[in-house]
């Protein structure tokens, strides 16, 4: 059902959904090359998402009330994104080997662990921004129209606030889990290697809980709780690399 929203609420939703990612981007932007890495990653993930979503877009009319199709769509999107993550990681490994070889020929040392971590964070930021662009920013023009609406299963939170929170949780998860995943691949740490895909799948399936009556009140805290895990692990990896 519909409702009324103020301009302040619309601006608040925009800041909530995109503000933290803008701040992370400003921090990464201080390092040369990293913005280009993030933009390239964003382009690749956006392309992959469009390809993954197209077949389900064609069946959108038949998704209503059919939870098995919704779960199938979520599984498809996660599988495509994780396959893309794996491919980007392979490209990152080869690029770093190439840079190490150039440094060796010039009598310089290999890339430092913190530099590798910064590259991984830029890749994750590109993935996170993809989520913000694909699932939230497209709603902003509508949210500034002066009206809002509530879905029947979640009358406590308006749709735009719900979308902003979900988008932010996924964006933060993707940004920091990329650093965890890269560390796991480099050091053959199985926990770090397989935790990010598992967290991504779990969070995606959790969003289906928004379809349950009042489910959003449990889903939102859980999403941010899951997003906190790779964030803490990434900080631990960063401080360990400086020792």
């Amino acid at each position: 059902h519909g409702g009324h929203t103020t301009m302040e609420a619309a601006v608040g939703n925009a800041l909530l959904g995109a503000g933290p990612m803008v701040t992370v981007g400003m921090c990464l932007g201080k390092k040369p090359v990293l913005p280009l890495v993030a933009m390239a990653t964003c382009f690749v993930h956006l392309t992959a998402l469009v390809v993954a979503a197209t077949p389900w877009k064609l069946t959108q009319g038949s998704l209503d009330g059919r939870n098995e199709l919704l779960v199938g769509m979520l599984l498809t999107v996660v599988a495509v994104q994780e396959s893309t993550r794996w491919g980007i990681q392979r490209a990152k490994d080869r690029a770093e080997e190439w840079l190490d070889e150039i440094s060796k020929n010039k009598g310089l040392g290999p890339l430092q662990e913190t530099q590798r971590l910064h590259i991984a964070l830029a890749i994750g930021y590109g993935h996170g921004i993809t989520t913000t662009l694909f699932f939230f920013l497209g709603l902003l023009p509508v949210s500034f129209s002066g009206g809002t609406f509530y879905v029947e299963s979640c009358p406590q939170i308006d749709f735009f606030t719900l979308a902003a929170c979900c988008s932010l949780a996924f964006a933060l998860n993707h940004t920091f889990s990329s650093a965890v995943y890269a560390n796991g691949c480099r050091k053959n740490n199985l926990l770090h290697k397989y935790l990010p895909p598992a967290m991504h799948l779990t969070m995606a399936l959790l969003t289906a809980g928004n379809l349950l009556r009042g489910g959003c009140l449990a889903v939102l805290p859980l999403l941010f709780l899951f997003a906190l895990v790779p964030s803490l692990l990434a900080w631990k990896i960063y401080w360990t690399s400086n020792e």
Side-chain angles (χ1 to χ4, degrees):
H1 58 278
H4 178 74
T5 186
T6 63
M7 181 61 68
E8 290 80 5
V11 172
N13 286 333
L15 292 176
L16 175 62
M21 294 303 293
V22 172
T23 303
V24 174
M26 291 174 64
C27 294
L28 289 175
K30 297 178 181 179
K31 304 286 184 179
V33 182
L34 295 187
L36 293 177
V37 173
M39 286 190 290
T41 304
C42 181
F43 174 78
V44 173
H45 273 291
L46 269 177
T47 303
L49 269 177
V50 169
V51 172
T54 298
W56 297 100
K57 179 67 175 178
L58 299 176
T59 62
Q60 186 176 22
S62 62
L63 285 176
D64 296 336
R66 300 186 62 180
N67 293 339
E68 68 277 6
L69 287 182
L70 175 63
V71 172
M73 180 184 68
L74 292 173
L75 291 175
T76 301
V77 171
V78 171
V80 169
Q81 288 190 78
E82 290 304 323
S83 298
T84 305
R85 187 207 295 269
W86 177 84
I88 292 175
Q89 180 62 38
R90 290 291 300 272
K92 173 182 178 293
D93 291 340
R94 293 187 179 183
E96 288 180 349
E97 290 174 1
W98 177 66
L99 290 173
D100 286 342
E101 186 66 26
I102 293 177
S103 298
K104 181 180 179 181
N105 293 335
K106 292 186 176 182
L108 303 174
L111 287 174
Q112 299 177 359
E113 289 299 321
T114 52
Q115 292 174 318
R116 299 180 194 275
L117 181 60
H118 288 153
I119 295 173
L121 283 173
I123 291 173
Y125 180 74
H127 190 181
I129 283 295
T130 302
T131 301
T132 303
L133 291 172
F134 199 82
F135 296 105
F136 176 64
L137 290 187
L139 300 173
L140 280 184
V142 183
S143 69
F144 280 92
S145 65
T148 188
F149 66 93
Y150 297 79
V151 294
E152 184 178 351
S153 59
C154 187
Q156 300 89 346
I157 306 175
D158 75 272
F159 177 76
F160 298 118
T161 302
L162 181 63
C165 291
C166 290
S167 172
L168 176 60
F170 275 94
L172 292 176
N173 174 71
H174 293 328
T175 299
F176 293 105
S177 67
S178 180
V180 177
Y181 181 76
N183 184 73
C185 292
R186 176 169 170 75
K187 298 183 178 179
N188 199 29
N189 184 320
L190 296 182
L191 175 62
H192 289 182
K193 189 175 182 178
Y194 293 111
L195 183 63
M199 297 287 287
H200 186 190
L201 176 61
T202 303
M203 290 176 66
L205 293 177
L206 264 177
T207 59
N210 288 324
L211 299 177
L212 302 176
R213 183 74 178 180
C216 59
L217 298 180
V219 169
L220 287 183
L222 287 174
L223 288 180
F224 281 104
L225 182 63
F226 278 110
L228 183 63
V229 174
S231 304
L232 294 176
L233 279 176
W235 279 110
K236 180 181 178 182
I237 293 170
Y238 179 80
W239 289 114
T240 302
S241 66
N242 284 328
E243 293 178 355

